[in-house]
Amino acid sequence: MSKRPLVLLDVDGVLNPARRHTLRLRHHECVVDGRTYRVLLNARHGPKLTALARDTGAELAWATTWEQHANVEIGPRIGLPELPVIAVNSDPGTRAGEHFKTRHVAEYVAGRPFVWFDDNLGTHDWQYLKDHPGVDEFLLVDVDPRTGLTDRHLTQAREWLAGRATPDLDGAGAASP
């Protein structure tokens, strides 16, 4: 089983901020289950996230209610390849005030360290993940939904991931930082 760290991506509020069109953000129309959604996306996010994953040995994955639709409607528009998807829409309830996606993320990570970019996480999510037996080290990056993902968020993730032990990618053994 891989111990590569994960970088988990939300769409709405993170890659699709709630703001007006700018030079970096472009409007796109996405069709999901017959409904049309207007989203704002920054084409620079894909290469920056790909570089983050490559440089830190991490694996990108979707943690969004868009689920598999993110691979069809979001990823190609910002230059991301098809990514693994965490199914989060099956159980919208909470147990201790955590976001409904948090339990699904805790099950998915299976002991792997992870960074989670989301705009809707808080103390209950942190506590739930900290107490969950299948969760190792993690960093929750709180993204302001008005501005979306910024270089500051990416730097925060890069620095945190750089502080983790190098994953065993080639079978030669893990090195210390």
Side-chain angles (χ1 to χ4, degrees):
M1 182 157 113
S2 174
K3 288 295 276 183
R4 285 178 64 193
L6 291 160
V7 174
L8 308 179
L9 304 171
D10 184 29
V11 172
D12 294 322
V14 176
L15 298 177
N16 173 31
R19 65 185 297 184
R20 292 188 188 133
H21 171 83
T22 68
L23 292 176
R24 291 191 178 165
L25 293 170
R26 301 290 175 154
H27 279 286
H28 298 274
E29 288 192 0
C30 302
V31 179
V32 175
D33 297 330
R35 293 186 60 192
T36 301
Y37 297 90
R38 290 193 64 171
V39 296
L40 285 170
L41 300 172
N42 181 341
R44 293 180 177 141
H45 281 153
K48 288 179 179 186
L49 288 163
T50 300
L52 172 66
R54 180 193 63 237
D55 296 347
T56 61
E59 177 185 356
L60 298 171
W62 295 113
T64 174
T65 57
W66 284 75
E67 289 187 339
Q68 191 60 38
H69 299 291
N71 277 323
V72 175
E73 298 291 345
I74 305 301
R77 288 182 164 98
I78 63 172
L80 288 177
E82 187 167 323
L83 304 177
V85 175
I86 301 172
V88 297
N89 288 328
S90 62
D91 180 11
T94 67
R95 295 183 183 149
E98 78 280 1
H99 191 279
F100 70 88
K101 292 189 290 187
T102 303
R103 285 192 322 268
H104 301 289
V105 165
E107 294 301 320
Y108 182 86
V109 298
R112 295 167 68 180
F114 67 95
V115 172
W116 187 3
F117 293 113
D118 203 294
D119 66 313
N120 211 4
L121 302 175
T123 305
H124 293 294
D125 302 286
W126 182 87
Q127 191 64 53
Y128 183 90
L129 293 166
K130 182 128 177 66
D131 293 343
H132 194 279
V135 174
D136 196 4
E137 297 177 286
F138 62 89
L139 174 67
L140 303 180
V141 179
D142 184 33
V143 177
D144 184 333
R146 294 169 296 182
T147 57
L149 188 68
T150 66
D151 287 343
R152 182 180 57 79
H153 299 123
L154 293 166
T155 298
Q156 182 182 5
R158 183 179 297 277
E159 289 173 356
W160 187 85
L161 288 163
R164 312 285 62 79
T166 304
D168 184 3
L169 299 177
D170 61 2
S176 302

